[in-house]
Amino acid sequence: MSYERIERELYIDAPPEVVFSVISRPEHMKQWWPDDAEFAPAPGARGQISFHGEEAGEVHVYGLTLVDVEPPRLFSFRWCYPEGHVANDGNSLLVTFELTPSGAGTRVRMTEVGFRDQGRSEAEVVEQYESHEEGWAQHLPRLAPCVGELARRS
């Protein structure tokens, strides 16, 4: 296994505009992925996301830098870079959501790349990759119900 790219594709029965909002707005994102999110949905904006750890009171905070914000078709960001650094392709992971209209719904293609670009040992690359692969498998299925809830409220 190359441990270079995680790729997932799913169909959501809602228009791209609604799906994009749930993927790209912090108030919606934290309903399906991180426990908290703070950022302005604009290219170059910096913010953070956080996840509760396994221990009581434990919180893991990650910087987030938005790369592409092109409603309703493309949303990407860099994360997992050293605190206090500017995210770039040599120190972070790039997550991209591509949205394509498909019938009455949206085809969502998510990719995460950069696991081998951070100068880590092979064991560290494998550990991070497997952790993220497991995380996306857990969190991406939550996306469609959140989109459905937003569509019902609209």
Side-chain angles (χ1 to χ4, degrees), residues 41-52:
R46 294 176 66 176
Q48 64 183 30
I49 58 174
S50 60
F51 300 88
H52 298 300

Side-chain angles (χ1 to χ4, degrees), residues 89-151:
D89 57 357
N91 71 354
S92 61
L93 300 176
L94 176 66
V95 175
T96 303
F97 288 90
E98 297 173 87
L99 284 62
T100 307
S102 179
T106 304
R107 177 80 41 210
V108 178
R109 182 170 175 253
M110 186 284 304
T111 57
E112 185 174 29
V113 298
F115 295 95
R116 292 198 172 279
D117 300 338
Q118 300 175 52
R120 297 176 180 221
S121 70
E122 184 68 13
E124 291 169 324
V125 167
V126 170
E127 180 182 358
Q128 184 182 45
Y129 180 93
E130 289 178 349
S131 171
H132 286 231
E133 188 172 56
E134 182 181 311
W136 289 119
Q138 175 186 354
H139 294 286
L140 280 177
R142 298 176 182 174
L143 184 57
C146 290
V147 169
E149 180 63 28
L150 180 62

